[in-house]
């Protein structure tokens, strides 16, 4: 097949590769693409939308509940799923476990690896306690061979590990280049749609340009999942960032154990420690439909340099500056001359404004060197006037706090009557009041 090089910025093309687009002058934008004859049969017709049957997508549940939740109920027939994540995060492990689950119930799974040999994959399977019954393995990188083999096997699921090692002989570009990743991606899409075989392609997130990352494929595939978390922490979060067949809000939480990934039914316990110290309080974040409790810690100490440090992990640094200003002006708690460090336990990223109050109280606790009663939840957005603004999903958050055995919740004032559960719910109007409740002064 003939190919040409197309500018990704302006669409100009040339017969040979160039470092710089001759039309728009941008560098590194010429990507190899096949030249296709785009002739359709003369008999082609459009269809009236209103007359079409709205067939519900057919789904098969995987049997790994965290995974089913993220996908919106299971794998949809003929869909193409991209699983992205940092190298070493556990993508191959997750897919092997899913392969095993499906092979037990739904039929064969074809696992294609361009990264690891049969021996290596077998070793991992053994470590995971997976017999490999019903899992067909192929070590291959040529996509023409792979598609033929997959057609012959006609599996319930095809797994490609990873897209960056695959190539089509149609293009001269190297495996992993934008051109190859994109062309192979669309080949797999065509394959999934034609055969109805669910196809999952694994893509490594890459930091540098030579190898194309999963972003290159996001617009092609039906569903984009990212597997995130800290390599050095045990927990992993699986997040759908695009889903043509479901919501993108749900997350799945897994723990990496010695025997593979385990779904965490009760994720809050990962992010709360058992001991209370000054400067620590529990906040709540909502991921999809799930409330998650997270401990935040603050530490203040006298500044050694002229300029006090403001350091955050998992929380916006500018937001910290704002909270410090509000604490000083509206509650008389002064961080002047103090370094201030804020940390969300477990390496989770906290972006919800509802975490403001908890973080402000953790700072106040450290500055005053007074502990807040262990098991205190604080939720509320803090305004510049020191007012505590309402947050959504308060009932959900309180229920989770109750489930986790917390005793006290400091929350914004609201109109409904407070829940009469086991947890003591204290409504506060402003930061001064919140501080009074937290420290009993
Ligand atoms: P892997 O699935 O190979 O990551 P990826 O495919 O995303 O590159 O997982 C790699 C890490 O997972 C590796 O550092 C070891 C760890 N691991 C466990 O902790 N327990 C296990 O049972 C397995 C199979 C892997
Ligand atoms: Mg891998």
């Amino acid at each position: 097949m003939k190919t040409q090089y197309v500018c990704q910025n302006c669409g100009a093309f040339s017969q040979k590769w160039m470092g710089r687009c001759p039309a728009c002058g941008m560098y590194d934008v010429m990507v190899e693409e096949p030249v296709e004859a785009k002739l359709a049969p003369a008999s082609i017709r459009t269809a009236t939308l209103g007359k079409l049957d709205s067939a519900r997508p057919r789904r098969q549940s995987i049997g790994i509940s965290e995974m089913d939740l993220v996908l919106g109920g299971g794998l949809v027939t003929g869909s193409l799923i991209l699983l992205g994540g940092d190298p070493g995060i556990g993508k191959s492990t997750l897919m092997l476990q899913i392969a095993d689950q499906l092979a037990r119930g739904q039929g064969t799974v074809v696992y294609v690896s361009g990264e690891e040999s049969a021996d290596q994959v077998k070793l991992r399977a053994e470590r995971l306690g997976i017999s490999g019954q019903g899992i067909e393995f192929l070590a291959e990188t040529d996509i023409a061979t792979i598609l033929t083999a997959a057609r012959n096997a006609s599996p319930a699921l095809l797994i490609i590990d990873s897209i960056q090692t695959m190539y089509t002989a149609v293009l001269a570009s190297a495996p992993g280049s934008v051109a190859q990743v994109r062309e192979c991606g669309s080949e797999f899409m065509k394959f999934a749609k034609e055969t109805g075989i669910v196809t999952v392609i694994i893509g490594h997130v890459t930091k540098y340009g030579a190898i194309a990352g999963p972003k290159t494929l996001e617009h092609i595939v039906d569903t984009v999942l990212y597997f995130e978390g800290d390599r050095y922490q045990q927990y992993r979060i699986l997040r759908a960032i695009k889903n043509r067949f479901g919501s993108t809000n749900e997350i799945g939480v897994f723990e990496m154990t010695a025997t593979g990934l385990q779904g965490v039914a009760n994720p809050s316990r990962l992010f709360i420690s058992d001991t209370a110290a000054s400067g620590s309080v529990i906040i709540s974040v909502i991921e999809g439909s799930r409330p998650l409790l997270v401990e935040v810690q603050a530490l203040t100490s006298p500044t050694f340099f002229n300029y006090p440090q403001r350091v955050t992990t998992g929380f916006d640094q500018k937001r910290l500056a704002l909270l410090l200003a509000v604490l000083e002006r509206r509650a008389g708690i002064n961080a002047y001359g103090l370094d201030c460090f804020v940390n969300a336990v477990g390496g989770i990223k906290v972006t919800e404004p509802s975490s403001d109050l908890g973080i402000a109280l953790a700072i106040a606790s450290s500055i005053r060197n007074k502990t807040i009663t262990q098991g205190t939840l604080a939720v509320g957005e803090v305004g510049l006037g020191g007012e505590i603004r309402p947050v959504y999903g308060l009932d959900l958050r309180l229920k989770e706090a109750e489930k986790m055995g917390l005793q006290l919740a400091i929350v914004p004032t609201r109109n409904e009557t407070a829940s009469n559960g086991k947890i003591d719910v204290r409504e506060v109007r402003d930061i001064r009041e919140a501080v009074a409740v937290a420290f009993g002064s």
Side-chain angles (χ1 to χ4, degrees):
M1 198 186 294
K2 264 194 73 183
T3 63
Q4 63 188 8
Y5 292 83
V6 180
C7 173
Q8 302 303 299
N9 183 49
C10 72
F13 52 88
S14 101
Q15 294 314 308
K16 55 183 206 313
W17 184 82
M18 287 190 237
R20 180 172 191 231
C21 173
C24 69
M26 294 250 295
Y27 288 93
D28 282 336
V29 286
M30 303 299 285
V31 170
E32 190 184 21
E33 286 176 6
V35 186
E36 278 167 50
K38 293 206 171 75
L39 281 182
S43 60
I44 198 82
R45 291 272 177 280
T46 54
T48 311
L49 201 52
K51 287 187 186 157
L52 293 178
D53 295 332
S54 57
R56 295 220 151 258
R58 285 208 300 130
R59 284 181 193 279
Q60 45 187 4
S61 153
I62 297 169
I64 295 178
S65 58
E66 296 293 307
M67 186 76 190
D68 283 331
L69 178 74
V70 172
L71 286 169
L75 299 169
V76 173
T77 307
S79 62
L80 180 65
I81 300 167
L82 171 68
L83 174 65
D86 287 329
I89 201 80
K91 300 180 294 299
S92 302
T93 306
L94 180 66
M95 287 322 297
L96 197 57
Q97 287 182 252
I98 288 172
D100 180 49
Q101 276 295 324
L102 279 184
R104 284 159 198 252
Q106 323 269 356
T108 19
V109 174
V110 170
Y111 194 115
V112 182
S113 182
E115 308 215 324
E116 289 159 312
S117 67
D119 288 345
Q120 285 171 303
V121 175
K122 178 75 184 157
L123 221 61
R124 177 183 290 126
E126 272 166 14
R127 193 171 157 191
L128 297 170
I130 290 172
S131 70
Q133 213 53 255
I135 304 178
E136 295 290 310
F137 181 79
L138 177 65
E140 181 57 69
T141 53
D142 178 355
I143 156 157
T145 313
I146 292 168
L147 292 182
T148 308
R151 263 202 186 88
N152 292 337
S154 178
L157 174 66
L158 169 65
I159 299 167
I160 305 297
D161 189 1
S162 65
I163 190 70
Q164 282 113 344
T165 56
M166 301 296 151
Y167 76 95
T168 165
V170 168
L171 302 180
S173 316
S177 62
V178 172
Q180 285 287 1
V181 165
R182 211 162 53 183
E183 187 57 24
C184 290
S186 15
E187 284 296 316
F188 284 121
M189 188 63 167
K190 258 186 257 165
F191 173 80
K193 296 294 172 247
E194 269 166 35
T195 60
I197 296 171
V198 186
T199 305
V200 175
I201 47 192
I202 293 175
H204 296 296
V205 171
T206 50
K207 301 264 180 324
Y208 305 101
I211 295 191
K215 287 252 174 283
T216 322
L217 287 180
E218 281 180 1
H219 65 286
I220 299 178
V221 302
D222 296 308
T223 302
V224 180
L225 306 177
Y226 273 95
F227 208 33
E228 7 176 288
D230 199 320
R231 269 189 77 165
Y232 306 103
Q233 310 269 3
Q234 303 118 337
Y235 82 91
R236 305 278 186 274
I237 289 180
L238 185 68
R239 197 185 291 277
I241 65 152
K242 168 180 174 180
N243 195 351
R244 287 189 180 141
F245 306 110
S247 133
T248 52
N249 288 322
E250 298 299 345
I251 61 161
V253 183
F254 295 87
E255 201 169 356
M256 183 62 97
T257 70
T259 53
L261 291 155
Q262 227 93 68
V264 179
N266 190 1
S268 289
R269 72 169 170 80
L270 290 176
F271 307 109
I272 302 181
S273 62
D274 306 324
T275 51
S278 74
S280 123
V281 74
I282 294 163
I283 61 164
S284 145
V285 295
I286 293 188
E287 296 276 5
S289 58
R290 303 169 113 178
L292 209 72
L293 300 183
V294 179
E295 182 175 333
V296 288
Q297 303 172 322
L299 181 68
T300 52
S301 69
T303 306
F304 288 111
F305 307 102
N306 291 333
Y307 194 70
Q309 299 203 62
R310 307 285 180 239
V311 182
T312 58
T313 326
F315 184 70
D316 182 27
Q317 207 170 340
K318 293 214 178 80
R319 198 84 197 163
L320 170 62
L322 183 149
L323 292 177
L324 288 174
V326 173
L327 273 173
E328 195 206 321
R329 293 293 305 274
R330 311 294 177 194
I333 295 172
N334 204 327
Y336 182 75
L338 296 176
D339 287 340
C340 185
F341 306 91
V342 170
N343 177 33
V345 169
I348 200 164
K349 285 192 184 56
V350 175
T351 51
E352 269 183 48
S354 72
S355 57
D356 285 353
L357 180 58
I359 288 165
L361 289 178
I363 297 166
S365 161
S366 179
I367 292 178
R368 293 192 161 183
N369 200 17
K370 268 189 180 174
T371 56
I372 299 174
T373 318
Q374 191 183 352
T376 298
L377 171 77
V379 286
E381 180 179 346
V382 174
L384 287 180
E387 77 278 15
I388 307 300
R389 299 237 179 89
V391 301
Y392 75 99
L394 190 53
D395 282 333
L396 213 58
R397 297 173 202 261
L398 288 174
K399 266 202 204 94
E400 177 73 2
E402 221 162 56
K403 196 174 99 195
M404 294 303 294
L406 303 196
Q407 273 109 49
L408 176 66
I410 306 177
V411 304
T413 49
R414 50 187 181 159
N415 300 324
E416 324 127 57
T417 47
S419 79
N420 49 2
K422 291 182 287 286
I423 191 166
D424 180 14
V425 179
R426 304 284 292 274
E427 299 184 4
V428 293
R429 260 164 313 188
D430 54 41
I431 186 77
R432 198 177 276 277
E433 215 177 306
V435 168
V437 171
F439 302 109
S441 60

